[in-house]
Amino acid sequence: MLASLSIRDVVLIERLDLTFGPGLSVLTGETGAGKSILLDSLGLALGQRAEAGMVRSGQSQAGVVAVFTPPASHPAHALMAEQGIEADDQIVLRRIVTADGRSRAFVNDEPVGVALLRRLGALLVEVQGQHDQVGLADPATHSGLLDAFGALEPRRNAVAEAYRAWRGAERALKEAREAIAAAQRDEEWLRHAVQELADLSPQEGEEDALASERQGLQGSERRAEAIASALSEIQPRDRRGGGAPAAALRNAARALERLTPPSEEATAALTALAAAQDALAEAENVLERLASDAQPDPRRLETVEERLFALRAAARKYTVAVVDLPAHLGSLRERLSNLDAGTGRVAALDAAAGQARAAYVAAAGALTAARREHADKLEKAVSKELAPLKLDRARLHIEIVPREESAWGPDGQDRVTFLVTTNPGQKPGQLAKIASGGELSRLMLALKVVLARGSPVPTLVFDEVDSGIGGATAAAVGERLARVAERLQVLVVTHSPQVAARGARHFQVAKGVRGDRAETRVVPLDVPARREEIARMLAGERVTEAARAAADELLAGAA
């Protein structure tokens, strides 16, 4: 329901903060006091059109904040979640209008487009006014209202489920046909690609393994080259052993041995040369052993590189990563398999789609039959409410007509429209076109009395629903507003004391002058002030004791 409404600098309202509760709230005041400004302000918060003229003279902007407290199951929460807006116990709609006519909208302090604000507003408030009718006047809501009246939600849900299953089967059939058509266009290429990749036979993780092995083989090759180079430095460079360090050491030793007798220094040199020859021989043995162990397989490196380069070339050709080649081969095989087995699969999907359509048609037909049955009951129930509202000649007609198959939907195969006649012999027409403003508001009230249980909108606003009536008819309007308010929150702008006496809360709208500027004020009335206001509505400008006594009688009768 609407919990509060805050208005800043809208036309004649400088600052206004109102709180509302459940049940029936009435707003009264003299003509021109500014009651329409309140409704226009609420309309701003609900996403209605903004105009520069709404900004109070001399101010740069106007602002309206409407706070709602719908139940957790209310569809407004789902819409907010769909839009990525966090929701809590409250839904806060805020609208700012600048003096140049531009506006900004916010939901729970998140900036949004006015279209979303309007969608949320339509879920939270329904306005029935003298000129602007929304909610019941919108034919798009009529099938849901009829279903709610007849408790047909299980049938409607079954239709929606059957519709989703049918459309899902149709999509699967369409996709299969498109896949086969595409595969047939590419059949020659597809068979070549499958054969080429099958011959290549890429394996999971193969690229990493080959790259690692290649790196290792390349390292082994460099190691073998280094060992061979070291050996070449210490081994003979010709057949006679010339150029080798070992030969040079032996020649040096023989030269020293020819000394007779060798000197002490020569003996030490011979000992060192002998040790050098032993160390050199040991180094040669070690290097030869290492050379034997490190000798790489030259063909293996070549084989690894050829395989790695072939995999990468295939990946480039088919524009996938090497790691995805096995999956790509599987996908191509599946496409080829679908092509080979496509006719049978399409036939099966076609049959499934036909069965799903038949199930939807059966469920929708049952819903249509139930709607026709309950449409008659709804017409009779509304007719009982019309006579006391001075609409005894009016009749509600519920039209249920089949739609073209292209227009079938989750709500069924037919179009439900509420039509009305206000005089005998008149052709039924749409609610918003056939009745006058006051008649239309009372028609809406009669419908709401009957349909309140199924209404998803928690707050109703009636603007002068009592226009042009009085006495017993006005009392009947007030009694029905009170009945609707037992289930929904109702706000009504009224000039009727009989309606005002029914309110659980009463607000007086008055226009005064502060300084040199006109200003609209709204005052919640306590019991004595409320008695005085109803007496004013009964007596006019001069309130008499008789009017006060009549006000007491109205209040007592409404209690």
Side-chain angles (χ1 to χ4, degrees), residues 301-377:
L301 178 59
E302 183 179 341
T303 300
V304 167
E305 288 185 334
E306 286 178 354
R307 176 65 177 174
L308 185 61
F309 297 157
L311 289 171
R312 290 175 175 172
R316 286 192 300 272
K317 179 177 180 179
Y318 293 103
T319 62
V320 297
V322 173
V323 69
D324 294 327
L325 281 173
H328 188 62
L329 174 57
S331 175
L332 294 177
R333 280 174 168 162
E334 183 179 0
R335 287 174 59 186
L336 194 58
S337 175
N338 289 340
L339 176 62
D340 294 336
T343 303
R345 182 166 181 267
V346 167
L349 289 172
D350 192 21
Q355 293 171 358
R357 182 186 182 281
Y360 169 77
V361 169
L367 177 61
T368 298
R371 281 174 172 169
R372 294 189 183 280
E373 176 186 349
H374 288 282
D376 183 60
K377 295 178 181 179

Side-chain angles (χ1 to χ4, degrees), residues 2 8-9 11 17 24 107 116 128 168 238 247 250 263 316 337 344 349 362 367 382 392 412 448 493 501 508 534:
L2 175 63
R8 300 290 184 271
D9 295 317
V11 193
D17 295 291
L24 177 61
V107 175
L116 175 59
Q128 312 296 343
D238 54 41
R250 287 194 298 271
S263 66
R316 286 192 300 272
S337 175
L349 289 172
L367 177 61
V382 172
D392 48 304
K448 275 301 176 187
V493 175
Q508 183 187 44
I534 293 176

Side-chain angles (χ1 to χ4, degrees), residues 179-254:
I180 289 175
Q184 287 174 337
R185 288 194 300 270
D186 301 331
E187 181 177 3
E188 183 178 349
W189 174 87
L190 192 59
R191 293 190 183 280
H192 169 77
V194 167
Q195 185 61 52
E196 183 178 50
L197 287 177
D199 291 343
L200 183 63
S201 186
Q203 305 298 314
E204 294 285 345
E206 187 177 8
E207 181 186 26
D208 290 343
L210 289 171
S212 177
E213 184 179 1
R214 180 188 180 216
Q215 186 176 12
L217 288 170
Q218 289 175 333
S220 297
E221 192 173 66
R222 289 191 295 271
R223 181 168 174 265
E225 289 175 355
I227 294 170
S229 177
L231 272 173
S232 69
E233 293 298 328
I234 62 175
Q235 288 180 336
R237 294 188 177 88
D238 54 41
R239 294 180 180 178
R240 292 176 298 175
L249 291 173
R250 287 194 298 271
N251 292 335
R254 290 192 188 101

